[in-house]
Amino acid sequence: MTGRCAVLGSPVAHSLSPVLHRAAYAELGLDWRYDACEVTEDGLAAFLDGLDPSWRGLSLTMPLKRAVVPLLDEMSERAHQALAANTVVLDAGRRTGHNTDIPGASAALRERYDGPLRSAVVLGGGATAASAVLALADLGCAAFTLLVRDEGRAAGTVEAAGRHPRQPRVDVRLLGSAAPAADVLVSTIPASAQVPDLVALGERAEVVFDVLYDPWPTPFAEAARASGRTLVSGLDLLVHQAALQVELMTGAAAAPLAAMRAAGERELARRSR
């Protein structure tokens, strides 16, 4: 049976996931299908209930990573830690949630930077921010400053950090507040919100990690390149987490990371023309 998979979210038309997963299927010799489906939080339960047995896996983007949790039959340890799943594996009618953003972020960071990561400034407090905090805690980061529009909306990320064995310290402040120098600055906010005062925070970090990939380059990316700082891109993150998704959904021993990255780079270059 041909397997079916898709990325769900709203908006989702910009997603690069279909390009990466289809490249992986071609390299692995799989006659599988991968689509992008516009699904809102209100429509998620009905969408899941309507899937037939040909469906093997789902990738989840905004705003579904936390909304899917009560709709799952079980969760991996990392998904439970974050209380957010960006991946759902479908098997014999059961839905298992995984979080490949966490190991994907760790791999993306270590691909570009092998120095110490002891402190971080994170812009944003949503599910992606929570995964970034957990990934950095895995790599030894012990102190985080979250800059958010609404301190209450960062509660899930603070709670996720509290479930990490290393119990990192998390300080929550409003965007626009002063922030300390840090080893790494992580931005999960839209390019349109990357105003000069926020971009300047990157000048006080050795590493700048912007989880966006479209549009690219973002103001953070341009500033990091201009100053010679280490830059980790949203494509770096997307490729590493997507490779893990391919392995979970298809059972492949190893996803073709290089082919997936090349396909993503070609598509982004096409979009920028």
Side-chain angles (χ1 to χ4, degrees):
M1 180 185 293
T2 298
R4 287 195 66 185
C5 300
V7 58
L8 313 183
S10 184
V12 78
H14 70 286
S15 176
L16 204 59
S17 291
V19 171
L20 302 186
H21 284 254
R22 290 168 187 168
Y25 299 164
E27 195 77 8
L28 294 169
L30 294 174
D31 182 24
W32 280 36
R33 174 177 169 181
Y34 190 102
D35 299 305
C37 300
E38 184 80 13
V39 178
T40 64
E41 287 186 70
D42 291 342
L44 180 58
F47 183 92
L48 294 176
D49 289 342
L51 299 179
D52 65 42
S54 69
W55 285 83
R56 305 296 295 277
L58 302 169
S59 308
L60 302 178
T61 187
M62 288 181 59
L64 305 179
K65 295 179 183 181
R66 285 177 173 159
V68 76
V69 168
L71 305 175
L72 299 171
D73 295 301
E74 57 185 307
M75 290 193 293
S76 70
E77 180 181 352
R78 299 321 298 263
H80 186 269
Q81 198 173 60
L83 278 187
N86 73 320
T87 309
V88 179
V89 174
L90 305 165
D91 185 28
R94 291 186 63 79
R95 306 165 184 166
T96 303
H98 298 264
N99 190 308
T100 66
D101 280 336
I102 299 170
S106 296
L109 277 158
R110 280 305 182 215
E111 181 180 35
R112 302 294 181 189
Y113 181 76
D114 62 2
L117 294 167
R118 298 154 297 197
S119 60
V121 172
V122 180
L123 308 185
T128 302
S131 295
V133 167
L134 293 170
L136 282 162
D138 286 349
L139 298 176
C141 196
F144 293 88
T145 302
L146 295 187
L147 297 181
V148 296
R149 291 189 181 89
D150 179 352
E151 293 183 14
R153 296 185 66 181
T157 297
V158 174
E159 291 165 4
R163 288 188 288 270
H164 194 280
R166 289 183 169 152
Q167 296 283 298
R169 185 177 75 254
V170 181
D171 179 23
V172 180
R173 305 179 187 180
L174 291 175
L175 275 171
S177 303
D183 294 315
V184 57
L185 179 138
V186 180
S187 173
T188 70
I189 64 175
S192 60
Q194 296 180 12
V195 296
D197 285 350
L198 290 179
V199 172
L201 296 176
E203 298 173 3
R204 306 183 67 197
E206 184 70 22
V207 181
V208 174
F209 185 0
D210 194 328
V211 306
L212 300 184
Y213 58 83
D214 188 9
W216 190 263
T218 63
F220 269 117
E222 290 178 332
R225 285 174 174 170
S227 64
R229 283 170 169 72
T230 298
L231 174 63
V232 184
S233 74
L235 181 61
D236 294 331
L237 169 60
L238 189 70
V239 168
H240 280 286
Q241 67 82 27
L244 295 170
Q245 289 182 331
V246 168
E247 292 165 12
L248 286 167
M249 294 175 187
T250 70
L257 192 72
M260 296 170 71
R261 185 190 298 276
E265 290 172 345
R266 287 194 299 270
E267 174 61 16
L268 290 178
R270 184 193 69 79
R271 293 182 186 184
S272 68
R273 290 199 291 266

